[in-house]
Structure formats: structure tokens, C-alpha cells
Amino acid sequence: MTDLLEHSTAYTVSDANNIHTLLFNQTESGYNKLVLPAYPVIVSAEYNLLAVNALVWNDSRLAWKKSSYGNVEYIYVPEDVVWHPELIVQNSVLELRKNLGAEKTVRIQYDGEVRWEPPAVLSTSCDMDVTFFPYDSQTCDIELASWGFPADAVNLTFFKTHINLEDYRPDGEWDLTTTSQYPSQLIEDDLVFSELLFRIELERFPGHYIMSVIFPTILTAVLTFVTFFLPLQSGGKIGYILTVLLALAVLLTLFSGSMPTTSKHTSVLVVFLTVTLGMACLVIIFTIFIIRLFHQPEHDKAPNWMHSLARKFMKLKCRAGRINHLDQSQVAEHAKPTEGGDCLESSEPFKPYSNKELAEFFDYFLFAVFTVFYVMVLLCFPIVLSASN
């Protein structure tokens, strides 16, 4: 506290004016902001996840003996009166400016150290791989480069060995896993320019998307297969499946705003939702054909392949010891009791099924097919997502 008071009482306006006259009066100092300090200029940069926190370099022309000027250690001047590095953010999504943090003040210390703290918030872009969304991890780089001065004139270095995380506040969507920083170079027209890469790695929290996207979609998809349980005589069978399809389409429309838009990588979740919507459309088509077959006159016989498929399926069930209700009448009329089993095959010629019996058969058969297929899709979905980890 004593040192602070001593510095405060030692500082006078006349001392500060004398320092400004010493440094920037053209007749006395001869300082020219268009001339670089001694080659090469080492510019140290610090990044804090939001902005470039500080830029520091040394200019021996801006030094003074503090004991001769009231022990004043530093002064502040506008950035346009001193030489400073021309910096740009290569992957900025905003308009590319010739200089980062222009029209801001810089601090000059008595030993010639210049500290520039541009409060410019950086908005950058990075290539996102959403293949395993919402279990994806992203790596983003902030590319800070020297513009106009090659590396032998202005060389960028790191002020600290790590990214400053003091101002970092985690949000509910991303988890910051690791940070790193690397020096790099840009080569253009045989000139090498210095560049700094600040790299951050983020991992998405999947909980929101599981509860609001995946889980409702699975439940709605299950409702589509319940269509096959409704009796064929019911007039609301088509109305029910159309309502479920409409609900699924509304859900997908709402979810599209939450999912990242990119054409470079196809998300596994998008494929899953597309398959679910496609299966719902197929259920509608098959349901229409089954209802048409159920109400078709008996003199208009169904194709033979339908009868053959139903007959083969019934034989498989019969061998497993189960009798389907479509074959019970034929077994009772044409088969003789034998020892050791309830399933008896007839020796009489094959009797074609009625259209109503075929419609009931395909109703249960398609329910089994779609259920098995969708369960396989559900089992493959977490397996593919686990491959990302």
C-alpha cells in the first residue's frame, strides 16, 4: 500500500508531458511509427477463449529513465501513435479487418515494453464432423497471423505456455476437454509469415438430444407398428397410421432446428430418423394393400405366391408345435389323429386360403418383420455411436 501511495504522489502531469515530448516529439526524438523496432520484433500473444488477451513486444525507442521523470513507470497512448503489429484472425466469420483491436490504447513501460490489450471478441469458424451427433467431439483452431510483415521482421510467440482459462464459464451444451497452442507458418509468394494456432477440443453433452430427439422418435416409431394389431374390420386403421406419421413428421421438423446443418458429414442420427420415417411410410403402403385384400371379393383370388408364403410359414410354425388359426379348420377336416403331437399335416391336396385369411396372415407377418428390423436398427444405433469413443 505504501508503494502505491508513493507512486501516486510521485506522478505529476508535467512528468507525463515530458515523457510524451521525449518519445513522440519529432524534433527531439525523431520517432517514426512507420519504422519497425530492431529486427526481428518478438510479439508475444495470450488467448483466453474469448479474445486475444494481450500482445506484448519491446521497442527500445520508447524507453526512458524513470528516475528523471518522477518515477513514472508507464503511460497510455492511442494505438495509432506507435508502431504495432498488423494482426488478423485467419478463420474469422466476421468481416476481415486489417488489424485486430484497432483504435484501442496501448501501455508503454519505462523499459520500452509495449503492452496492447485489444478487447476484440473473436468469432471463428471450424469444420465440424457431426457423424456421431449428439456424441460428437469437435476440434477448433483460432488462427492468429501477422499480416504484411514476414517472419524475419515480426515473429509471433506465446506469452504463456497454455491458454488462459480464467474467464471460461462452461455452458450446458459443450464440455471443454483439452486446450493446446502451436506455432505455425504461412507461405505466400515465397514469403514466410508467422502464425499462432490456439486449439480447443470440445465434447457435446448428449442428454438434451436423447430426451428431446431420440427418445420421442423411438416411441412414435413404436406406435406405427401397433397399426398391425388393429382389426382389419376397423375403419380407423388408416386414420391411425396417418396420424402417427403426421406426428413423426412434426417431431422431425422441430428437431431439424436443433441439429447442425452440414453436407460434408452425414449424422448417424439423421440416418436413423430417415429410416424411421421411411418405415412409417412403408407401413402405410402395406396397410392399404392388406385392407384392400381383406375386402376383395372371394372370386378374385390372390396371387399364388401369397398362398405359398402363407403355407410355408404355417408349416414352420406347425413343426415348432404351434397351430395357426388359419389352418385349424383344414386340420380338423382332413387330418387323422396321430400319437405324439398337436400339429397334424393333411394328406389331402392344398386348399387355397381365403382373401380374409391371407389379409390376417400378412397383418401379423408384417408386424413381425417390421418389429425385428426396427429392433436391429435400435441395436446397431448405440453400437455405431460407441465407435466414436
Side-chain angles (χ1 to χ4, degrees):
M1 189 68 178
T2 305
D3 294 338
L4 180 61
L5 292 176
E6 288 178 356
H7 292 167
S8 299
T9 54
Y11 173 84
T12 62
V13 176
S14 61
D15 291 332
N17 287 332
N18 292 334
I19 294 175
H20 279 265
T21 302
L22 172 68
L23 300 180
F24 303 110
N25 191 306
Q26 293 291 333
T27 59
E28 296 186 12
S29 66
Y31 178 81
N32 188 350
K33 67 177 182 179
L34 301 179
V35 179
L36 275 70
Y39 278 42
V41 182
I42 307 299
V43 180
S44 301
E46 178 186 3
Y47 178 68
N48 67 351
L49 285 185
L50 184 63
V52 176
N53 198 36
L55 297 169
V56 180
W57 67 94
N58 194 277
D59 192 338
S60 59
R61 299 171 298 174
L62 301 177
W64 68 90
K65 189 176 181 180
K66 66 177 182 177
S67 60
S68 301
Y69 295 90
N71 290 326
V72 175
E73 294 189 356
Y74 51 82
I75 60 173
Y76 293 92
V77 298
E79 57 87 20
D80 59 347
V81 302
V82 299
W83 178 91
H84 52 77
E86 301 286 344
L87 301 178
I88 62 170
V89 179
Q90 288 281 95
N91 56 340
S92 176
V93 297
L94 302 178
E95 180 182 357
L96 190 64
R97 297 182 298 177
K98 70 172 183 178
N99 197 29
L100 178 67
E103 302 179 358
K104 301 297 184 291
T105 58
V106 299
R107 191 183 77 172
I108 305 175
Q109 197 163 288
Y110 70 94
D111 58 357
E113 180 186 272
V114 183
R115 185 180 182 89
W116 188 21
E117 298 180 352
V121 178
L122 305 183
S123 299
T124 60
S125 62
C126 59
D127 187 15
M128 299 187 67
D129 185 356
V130 295
T131 302
F132 300 105
F133 175 87
Y135 294 90
D136 55 327
S137 300
Q138 305 298 335
T139 300
C140 296
D141 292 335
I142 292 87
E143 304 171 4
L144 183 65
S146 172
W147 187 259
F149 299 106
D152 56 355
V154 176
N155 188 24
L156 301 180
T157 61
F158 296 106
F159 187 72
K160 292 185 177 181
T161 58
H162 59 276
I163 295 179
N164 186 355
L165 299 179
E166 293 180 359
D167 298 330
Y168 172 69
R169 298 293 182 271
D171 60 3
E173 183 175 2
W174 294 99
D175 179 29
L176 179 63
T177 55
T178 58
T179 61
S180 57
Q181 51 190 23
Y182 307 94
S184 182
Q185 291 180 338
L186 293 174
I187 300 178
E188 185 175 349
D189 297 334
D190 297 330
L191 293 177
V192 179
F193 297 90
S194 181
E195 182 183 37
L196 299 180
L197 299 181
F198 300 94
R199 179 165 298 174
I200 57 177
E201 296 184 10
L202 304 170
E203 185 175 339
R204 194 189 304 269
F205 292 118
H208 167 73
Y209 298 96
I210 292 176
M211 298 304 298
S212 63
V213 179
I214 300 177
F215 192 63
T217 304
I218 294 176
L219 290 181
T220 309
V222 171
L223 293 178
T224 60
F225 310 138
V226 179
T227 306
F228 296 112
F229 278 119
L230 294 176
L232 290 170
Q233 299 87 346
S234 174
K237 199 176 181 74
I238 294 294
Y240 170 80
I241 184 58
L242 288 177
T243 302
V244 174
L245 180 64
L246 179 62
L248 185 60
V250 171
L251 283 176
L252 298 182
T253 303
L254 295 176
F255 300 156
S256 61
S258 303
M259 299 181 65
T261 55
T262 176
S263 299
K264 292 184 178 181
H265 307 278
T266 302
S267 173
V268 177
L269 181 58
V270 172
V271 176
F272 169 73
L273 297 178
T274 304
V275 170
T276 301
L277 184 61
M279 292 178 64
C281 295
L282 287 178
V283 169
I284 293 179
I285 295 174
F286 285 123
T287 301
I288 293 175
F289 278 103
I290 291 174
I291 293 179
R292 183 177 183 276
L293 178 63
F294 183 82
H295 294 284
Q296 189 170 304
E298 290 300 330
H299 62 80
D300 192 0
K301 298 297 182 181
N304 292 332
W305 65 267
M306 290 187 178
H307 295 273
S308 300
L309 179 61
R311 186 67 179 177
K312 290 179 181 179
F313 185 77
M314 292 306 141
K315 285 184 178 180
L316 291 176
K317 293 184 66 177
C318 188
R319 290 169 186 172
R322 297 185 299 269
I323 300 178
N324 188 273
H325 71 285
L326 300 180
D327 276 328
Q328 288 179 356
S329 59
Q330 295 186 30
V331 171
E333 294 177 3
H334 303 289
K336 297 181 180 180
T338 60
E339 297 180 359
D342 295 330
C343 183
L344 305 176
E345 296 187 7
S346 174
S347 60
E348 298 294 329
F350 168 67
K351 179 183 178 181
Y353 297 112
S354 65
N355 291 337
K356 288 184 172 55
E357 290 174 334
L358 285 175
E360 292 180 0
F361 163 74
F362 279 104
D363 215 25
Y364 288 104
F365 176 74
L366 290 175
F367 168 75
V369 170
F370 276 96
T371 301
V372 171
F373 180 76
Y374 196 68
V375 169
M376 292 176 60
V377 172
L378 292 179
L379 292 177
C380 293
F381 182 66
I383 294 175
V384 174
L385 291 179
S386 63
S388 63
N389 303 324

